């Protein structure tokens, strides 16, 4: 049951209405104010769920959230049960919601979440790629230069990467990913998740780019890319830092231990011995 004076964020189905939780159904029926990204889509969802909404439904999207967040705070101050939903999935995740949450928190109002469907997690699970560590990067920039600049810092990222994309830009984005991450990087394109024509295409980025060029890409798109393979550090490259720390007053053995702990594939013993030899050579 919704609580008075609490901002509740609720995840909505990303395709199949049957994925709606019991808590979402109750919240739609109980809320006195519902902030919806698209009021028409919310009305269709309520109809599909056979839920009668008795509260006020307020249009709340990226173009008006700045001016309408105050309306949500007024309702919370009046003790209303306020619910926020987006077209699909969880508010705040590449959808409106952050501004409302931030304002509610700053004003001292409680915020709670009704969990549910997520395109990010659904695609990640279906991709067949490592899911223990991942980073959600949202929509890539539309322009070529900005897109390339956004991908550049991610090339060595070892976590699995998840992106949203428009079907119209999927082919161009996959081509840019081939350039940035390399043709052999494993990836998956997941489309129409939970819907009748759900499909996950897996392969290398080069294979996926070729697929996108040869077909009409339709539906909501999530692109999942495997993280970079870890590269072991060269101990010789770490010696200057060890010697610098030692010169600043640390014991050489302690400095080697600290630097080795932050590197990959280097033992403190190996690094200490290398730094010791280097220091002795300098002193001789």
């Amino acid at each position: 049951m919704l609580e008075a004076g609490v901002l509740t964020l609720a995840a909505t189905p990303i395709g199949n209405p049957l994925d709606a939780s019991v808590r979402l159904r109750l919240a739609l029926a109980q809320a006195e104010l519902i902030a919806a990204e698209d009021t028409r889509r919310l009305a269709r969802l309520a109809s599909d769920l056979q839920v009668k909404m008795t509260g006020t439904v307020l249009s709340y999207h990226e173009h008006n959230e700045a001016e309408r967040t105050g309306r949500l705070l007024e309702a919370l101050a009046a003790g209303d049960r306020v619910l926020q939903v987006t077209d699909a999935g969880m508010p705040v995740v590449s959808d409106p919601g952050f501004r409302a949450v931030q304002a509610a928190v700053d004003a001292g109002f409680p915020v709670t979440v009704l969990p549910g469907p997520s395109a990010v997690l659904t695609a990640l699970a279906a991709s067949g790629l490592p899911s223990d560590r991942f980073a959600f990067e949202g929509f890539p920039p539309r322009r070529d230069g900005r897109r390339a600049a956004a991908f550049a810092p991610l090339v060595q990222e070892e976590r699995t990467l998840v992106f949203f994309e428009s079907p119209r830009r999927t082919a161009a984005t996959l081509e840019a990913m081939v350039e940035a991450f390399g043709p052999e990087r494993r990836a998956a394109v997941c489309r129409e998740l939970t819907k009748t024509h759900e499909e996950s295409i897996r392969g290398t980025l080069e294979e996926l780019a070729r697929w996108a060029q040869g077909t009409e890409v339709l539906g909501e798109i999530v692109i999942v890319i495997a993280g970079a393979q870890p590269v072991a550090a060269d101990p010789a490259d770490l010696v200057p830092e060890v010697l610098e720390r030692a010169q600043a007053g640390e014991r050489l053995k302690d400095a080697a231990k600290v630097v080795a702990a932050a590197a990959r594939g280097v033992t403190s013993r190996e690094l200490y011995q290398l730094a010791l030899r280097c220091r002795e050579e300098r002193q001789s």
Side-chain angles (χ1 to χ4, degrees):
M1 182 173 182
L2 293 187
E3 296 184 43
V6 175
L7 174 62
T8 300
L9 308 179
T12 53
I14 59 176
N16 192 329
L18 295 178
D19 291 334
S21 69
V22 173
R23 295 180 69 191
L24 173 62
R25 295 168 186 261
L26 291 174
L28 291 173
Q30 295 172 354
E32 282 137 346
L33 177 65
I34 304 175
E37 185 178 8
D38 186 325
T39 58
R40 292 168 299 181
R41 292 189 65 168
L42 176 62
R44 287 199 299 271
L45 176 62
S47 176
D48 289 338
L49 300 180
Q50 298 183 338
V51 171
K52 182 178 180 180
M53 298 182 294
T54 58
T56 299
V57 176
L58 178 72
S59 172
Y60 189 92
H61 49 72
E62 62 176 331
H63 300 298
N64 67 12
E65 59 179 331
E67 62 186 81
R68 294 198 171 176
T69 295
R71 174 72 181 85
L72 271 60
L73 296 183
E74 292 173 1
L76 292 171
D80 287 346
R81 294 170 290 189
V82 179
L83 179 68
Q84 181 163 13
V85 297
T86 61
D87 289 348
M90 180 64 67
V92 179
V93 182
S94 278
D95 276 318
F98 173 72
R99 190 186 296 270
V101 172
Q102 189 176 51
V105 170
D106 290 345
F109 295 110
V111 177
T112 190
V113 176
L114 305 186
S118 164
V120 175
L121 297 181
T122 302
L124 182 65
S127 69
L129 299 172
S131 57
D132 53 336
R133 297 174 63 242
F134 69 94
F136 173 58
E137 293 294 325
F139 284 90
R142 299 184 180 188
R143 296 183 180 177
D144 293 346
R146 292 183 179 179
R147 186 166 50 206
F151 288 161
L154 300 174
V155 171
Q156 297 304 320
E157 173 59 65
E158 296 177 11
R159 294 174 294 177
T160 297
L161 301 171
V162 183
F163 297 87
F164 286 165
E165 189 51 287
S166 158
R168 298 187 304 277
R169 294 191 296 273
T170 296
T173 293
L174 287 170
E175 287 288 351
M177 287 174 170
V178 170
E179 291 294 323
F181 300 103
E184 298 304 314
R185 185 75 69 94
R186 304 296 299 179
V189 174
C190 303
R191 55 177 294 273
E192 295 290 80
L193 292 169
T194 77
K195 299 178 183 178
T196 302
H197 301 292
E198 176 179 326
E199 183 179 23
S200 294
I201 304 95
R202 305 172 184 86
T204 66
L205 280 173
E206 185 174 48
E207 290 169 342
L208 295 178
R210 201 159 49 237
W211 163 81
Q213 292 291 349
T215 187
E216 182 182 10
V217 181
L218 300 172
E220 303 292 333
I221 303 296
V222 185
I223 302 174
V224 187
I225 302 178
Q229 290 298 313
V231 178
D234 184 343
D237 294 336
L238 304 177
V239 168
E241 183 180 354
V242 175
L243 295 178
E244 184 178 340
R245 296 177 73 103
Q247 190 173 6
E250 290 185 42
R251 292 176 58 223
L252 187 66
K253 185 171 292 187
D254 292 337
K257 185 179 295 186
V258 171
V259 174
R264 180 183 292 277
V266 178
T267 67
S268 59
R269 177 182 175 83
E270 175 187 20
L271 187 55
Y272 167 70
Q273 291 177 339
L274 189 59
L276 182 62
R277 284 200 303 271
C278 184
R279 186 169 69 174
E280 290 173 349
E281 290 173 359
R282 290 182 180 182
Q283 293 173 347
S284 61

